[in-house]
Amino acid sequence: MVAIRAWAVHVLTACGAALALMALIFATGGQWEAMFFCLGFALIVDGVDGPLAREFKVAEVLPRWSGETLDLVVDFVTYVFVPAFAIAASGLMPEFLAIPAAVIVVISGAIYFADRKMKTDDNYFRGFPAVWNLAAFYLYVLQPPEWVGFAGVVALAVLSFAPVKFLHPLRVRHWRWLNVALLALWAVLAFVTLISGLLPGPLVTVPLCLIALYFFLAGFFRRPA
């Protein structure tokens, strides 16, 4: 029973890869809302599998299989690879900007995920945590001018390797109650955005941007450990 439970956690984590595949299939058909729904479910999976793995001591029960490696593989395709394709195929930039932007995303994301010190001792991310799924989501919602969108991608890629902290809303203890509340509100607003065809209007877009700004700046001025 203990082994079955541990395997179930690994399978749950691996389901993130299946969600990434579904997201890519929807993206190739230009079904962007469905793509973001799949990436959103992958975010939920990524949020619950870690606590389950620690609760059920999966690493001790199944030492042959690395949950950390599995998680990195799944995170790369859901956080980096599929969003990079979405940026390249979005039509929000001309090809001479969109393709280089996508290349920047996958290269910087791959290097970031190889960083053994991507997290600080107090559970902040060191540098922009390669959450390109969220960056792509805001790109689709805000639809900035072409060069602004490209500059934003470049800036985030550079910040991946900057000596600044970025908030992990579930694991950082400082103001965790506020972080979790804002994360829940963001999820509701993001759902409304998707069912609105990525055109929710300012009553949703403005709070979405303010929450993103909070998460972006919450750890920015805290010195990395």
Side-chain angles (χ1 to χ4, degrees), residues 137-158:
F137 175 74
Y138 279 94
L139 183 67
Y140 274 75
V141 173
L142 299 177
Q143 299 188 17
E146 298 165 353
W147 282 101
V148 173
F150 179 78
V153 169
V154 173
L156 291 177
V158 170

Side-chain angles (χ1 to χ4, degrees), residues 138 141-142 189 193 198-211:
Y138 279 94
V141 173
L142 299 177
L189 294 172
T193 299
L198 295 172
L199 297 169
L203 290 179
V204 173
T205 302
V206 171
L208 273 175
C209 291
L210 291 175
I211 293 172

Side-chain angles (χ1 to χ4, degrees), residues 179-190:
N179 301 333
V180 172
L182 288 176
L183 182 63
L185 176 59
W186 183 91
V188 172
L189 294 172

Side-chain angles (χ1 to χ4, degrees), residues 213-225:
L213 186 63
Y214 167 79
F215 282 125
F216 189 84
L217 295 177
F220 200 84
F221 299 106
R222 300 175 69 89
R223 185 180 298 276

Side-chain angles (χ1 to χ4, degrees), residues 16 20 23-24 35 39 42-43 71-88 101-114 118 128-136 153 157 160-161:
L24 186 59
M35 179 199 74
L39 294 180
L43 268 175
D71 192 58
L72 286 174
V73 170
V74 173
D75 283 355
F76 180 77
V77 293
T78 56
Y79 283 65
V80 179
F81 192 81
V82 174
F85 176 83
I87 290 172
V103 170
I104 289 170
V105 168
V106 292
I107 291 176
S108 64
I111 294 173
Y112 184 84
F113 274 93
M118 69 168 66
F128 173 68
V131 284
W132 291 104
N133 47 352
L134 302 182
V153 169
S160 295
F161 310 103

